[in-house]
Amino acid sequence: MGKLQVDDTAGSSGYTTTSSAAGSAPSVAGRRPGAYWRAVFAFPNPVNEYAARITAGLVVVLAGVTLLTGWGWGLAVIAAGFWLRVLFGPRISPLALLSVKLLAPRLGRAKLVPGPPKRFAQGIGAAVSTAAAVLLAAGLAPGAWALLAVLILAASLEAFAGFCLGCVIFGFLQRRGLIPEDVCEACNDISLRNL
């Protein structure tokens, strides 16, 4: 404890630009059974906040176009993007790859923040966008567009103000003991937040 720990299981395509030699995974031959699946579903920790904010901005653009045009397939694309990010980190999601590989590096040095709250926020986005797509498919368009508007608001807060609503909810749940402290030690220790 004392430093923000880096989990390099997401590899070089994670939100972070740093890695930890001490946290490196053993060679493939030396891995325990199941270690491969953990790597497949790994999410970077820490996360480059600039990449996360850029991804949120791209979600705002895509969701805004979907809302203004009424293009229902846009909801499916948004939901799929969230599911890709929550399950696999930024390695597969086109929006996250654009943010991590092309746009965020242009902003200079990464600003690192804990990864678990960002993954939780992606999970909320996945749930809300999926619910909107289901409502639209069920013929309940007003409910679908209302959920999409909520998603646009939350993603806008992240993208333009740096306020991650999902991260705040994560912190609230962790303080109440509903999320174990060891899921995000840096979230509990204020001294680790400004590294």
Side-chain angles (χ1 to χ4, degrees):
M1 211 148 123
K3 288 188 178 179
L4 186 61
Q5 295 179 344
V6 176
D7 178 5
D8 193 32
T9 57
S12 62
S13 63
Y15 283 123
T16 181
T17 58
T18 63
S19 63
S20 170
S24 297
S27 66
V28 173
R31 286 190 180 177
R32 297 182 317 240
Y36 172 77
W37 290 110
R38 270 192 297 272
V40 167
F41 294 109
F43 194 89
N45 186 27
V47 169
N48 179 353
E49 182 173 348
Y50 299 134
R53 289 179 67 179
I54 291 168
T55 302
L58 294 171
V59 168
V60 169
V61 170
L62 184 56
V65 167
T66 300
L67 187 62
L68 292 174
T69 63
W71 186 55
W73 285 103
L75 285 173
V77 170
I78 293 166
F82 273 112
W83 282 111
L84 288 174
R85 289 187 295 280
V86 78
L87 292 174
F88 305 107
R91 294 183 310 268
I92 299 174
S93 165
L95 294 183
L97 284 170
L98 179 63
S99 300
V100 169
K101 297 290 188 183
L102 187 64
L103 301 174
R106 297 181 188 283
L107 297 178
R109 188 171 179 206
K111 179 181 178 187
L112 301 178
V113 295
K118 295 294 185 186
R119 186 176 213 173
F120 182 82
Q122 291 295 318
I124 292 174
V128 170
S129 58
T130 300
V134 168
L135 286 175
L136 188 64
L140 301 169
W145 302 131
L147 283 178
L148 187 59
V150 169
L151 186 68
I152 291 171
L153 175 64
S156 294
L157 287 170
E158 168 88 20
F160 307 118
F163 180 81
C164 176
L165 183 59
C167 299
V168 170
I169 295 169
F170 179 94
F172 175 82
L173 294 173
Q174 193 170 38
R175 285 190 301 278
R176 298 296 181 268
L178 297 171
I179 296 176
E181 289 185 11
D182 64 346
V183 169
C184 184
E185 291 180 10
C187 300
N188 294 318
D189 190 345
I190 292 175
S191 67
L192 301 177
R193 292 183 189 171
N194 296 322
L195 294 176

